[in-house]
Amino acid sequence: MRKACLLIRTAVVLGCLLSAGAGARAEDCGNGVELTLTAPEAAQGTLLLAEIHSAKPLTEVSGRWNERDVPFWQDGTREHSASGPNTRKALLGVDLEKAAGKYEFTVASQIQGGERVSCGVRIEVKEGHFATENLTVKKQFVEPNPEQEARAEAETKRLREIYERVTPERLWDGPFRMPLDGEFKGSNFGKRRVLNGHPGSPHGGVDFPAPTGTPVHAAQRGRVVLAEELFFSGNTVLVDHGLGIYTFYCHFSEIDAKVGDEVVAGTVLGKVGATGRVTGPHLHWGLQVERARVNALEIVRVLGSGDAIFRK
Ligand SMILES: [Zn+2]
C-alpha cells in the first residue's frame, strides 16, 4: 500500500486513506518520503497524529507546529535510530483556545546518505463549540485575598515552567489508559465557565465525578514531576511522559506518589477527593502536549486502546 502511495500520484489519496484510516491525509514529500496526518482538520482541544514514512532509512526528522519544535519518535525503541522501520511519529496538539483558521505544519527529514526532504501541510483548526456553565464555588477561589492570589500566581508560574521543559526521551511505552477503572465518564472539557457570576478561564481538563477514595491511575509510563497541594487544584500529581507530554491529576483526597517516582500505566497516584476549587468529589484530568491544552481523552483515542468515551 505504501509503495502504491508513492508511485501513483492519482492513487495516493485512495491508497493512503485505506492504509491510514478514514479521513487521513497523505502528502508526497518526494524522494520516497511521505507524510500522513490522521485528519486534514482538527477542532480546538484535539490531537492529530503525524507519521513520516520513508523508503530509505531516516537519520533525522524534525517538525514545527504552533511555533514550537515537534519531537518525533520511533515505535519499538525508546531512542530514535536509523535502523528498523523507516517511520517516525509525532503528536500535534491543538490548544483549546487556538483561534480557528488554517495553520502550517512543516517537517524536515534527513535520509541516510545525506538527502534532506522538507514537506508542509495546512491544517484547518475549527471551533470546539464549548458550552458555557455557571458554577458556585467558595468565595476565596473567585476573589482570593492578596496572600492566596500571590500563592496561586506562583503555582501557575511553576506549572508553566514545568510544561515548558521538553524531556527529549519518550518515557511512555504503550497505549494510554483511562485514569479510573470502571465505567466513569469524563466530561466538561473546554467549557467556558462563569464562577459566582465572574467569567473564568476555560476548563482545561476532563472531570470524572467519582466517590472519594476511588484510586486514580497513571495513564502511561512516566516520571512524577509534581506531587503536592496547590491552591486551585488541591492535591495534585503531574506526570511527565517525555517529548513534551504531561498528564495532570487533581482534587485528590490523598496523594500516593512523590516527585521523582517512575510510574507505569496503572500505578496508583492518589485517591479521588474534593480538595481545591471544586463543587464535589471528582477527578480532574488534564493533558498538555507541547504547551497545547488538549482534551485528555484524546490521548487514549489516538495512542490508546481507543476506549475513551466522549461527552461534552
Ligand atoms: Zn475540572
Side-chain angles (χ1 to χ4, degrees):
M1 194 63 77
R2 292 279 165 227
K3 276 210 171 107
C5 289
L6 296 171
L7 294 175
I8 310 163
R9 186 72 184 171
T10 51
V12 163
V13 174
L14 181 63
C16 295
L17 282 178
L18 289 172
S19 61
R25 161 158 157 199
E27 286 291 318
D28 185 351
C29 305
N31 282 323
V33 176
E34 180 191 65
L35 166 65
T36 65
L37 274 181
T38 42
E41 57 181 46
Q44 292 168 323
T46 63
L47 279 179
L48 289 170
L49 181 67
E51 291 189 23
I52 283 277
H53 305 280
S54 172
K56 293 185 213 159
L58 293 161
T59 54
E60 203 188 301
V61 179
S62 60
R64 285 289 287 179
W65 166 249
N66 204 26
E67 289 156 24
R68 292 180 70 93
D69 291 332
V70 176
F72 278 76
W73 76 87
Q74 183 175 2
D75 276 341
T77 60
R78 294 234 185 88
E79 300 298 326
H80 294 187
S81 86
S83 60
N86 307 328
T87 297
R88 297 285 194 285
K89 296 181 182 180
L91 281 179
L92 307 182
V94 181
D95 186 81
L96 83 169
E97 290 189 285
K98 191 172 178 72
K102 288 189 174 162
Y103 298 90
E104 197 82 16
F105 167 50
T106 55
V107 176
S109 54
Q110 177 116 31
I111 304 169
Q112 205 173 51
E115 287 164 287
R116 284 190 71 79
V117 177
S118 298
C119 215
V121 286
R122 301 200 86 174
I123 297 170
E124 184 167 7
V125 171
K126 299 195 158 181
E127 297 280 350
H129 300 297
F130 304 114
T132 299
E133 68 178 343
N134 289 285
L135 292 174
T136 304
V137 295
K138 277 189 197 158
K139 194 168 172 245
Q140 63 171 10
F141 293 121
V142 181
E143 297 165 65
N145 65 34
E147 198 183 313
Q148 291 164 332
E149 202 170 339
R151 178 187 168 190
E153 267 175 29
E155 290 171 354
T156 303
K157 183 167 172 276
R158 263 181 67 210
L159 286 171
R160 207 170 39 233
E161 284 165 2
I162 294 174
Y163 287 132
E164 279 293 331
R165 290 203 291 266
V166 177
T167 299
E169 304 86 46
R170 177 166 66 96
L171 302 178
W172 85 87
D173 63 356
F176 279 72
R177 53 158 285 165
M178 299 290 274
L180 300 178
D181 284 334
E183 290 299 301
F184 297 103
K185 306 271 195 301
S187 62
N188 289 344
F189 175 78
K191 270 191 179 163
R192 274 44 178 169
R193 294 171 307 174
V194 180
L195 302 168
N196 302 0
H198 300 263
S201 50
H203 186 248
V206 184
D207 290 333
F208 296 83
T212 295
T214 305
V216 178
H217 305 271
Q220 240 301 325
R221 192 174 175 280
R223 187 178 302 124
V224 174
V225 286
L226 181 140
E228 67 183 73
E229 195 237 332
L230 302 179
F231 181 68
F232 284 119
S233 54
N235 289 325
T236 302
V237 174
L238 180 57
V239 178
D240 176 8
H241 300 286
L243 304 189
I245 297 175
Y246 289 89
T247 51
F248 178 93
Y249 313 74
C250 71
H251 306 313
F252 287 175
S253 54
E254 238 174 81
I255 295 177
D256 294 323
K258 59 182 189 314
V259 171
D261 282 358
E262 305 277 346
V263 298
V264 296
T267 300
V268 174
L269 301 174
K271 296 179 184 69
V272 170
T275 54
R277 187 174 67 187
V278 295
T279 55
H282 71 282
L283 166 67
H284 171 108
W285 187 32
L287 168 67
Q288 287 213 8
V289 174
E290 278 286 344
R291 296 298 281 115
R293 295 159 299 166
V294 174
N295 187 331
L297 299 175
E298 284 283 291
I299 204 153
V300 182
R301 179 179 69 84
V302 175
L303 290 185
S305 45
D307 58 355
I309 298 156
F310 287 82
R311 269 198 181 175
K312 280 206 169 164

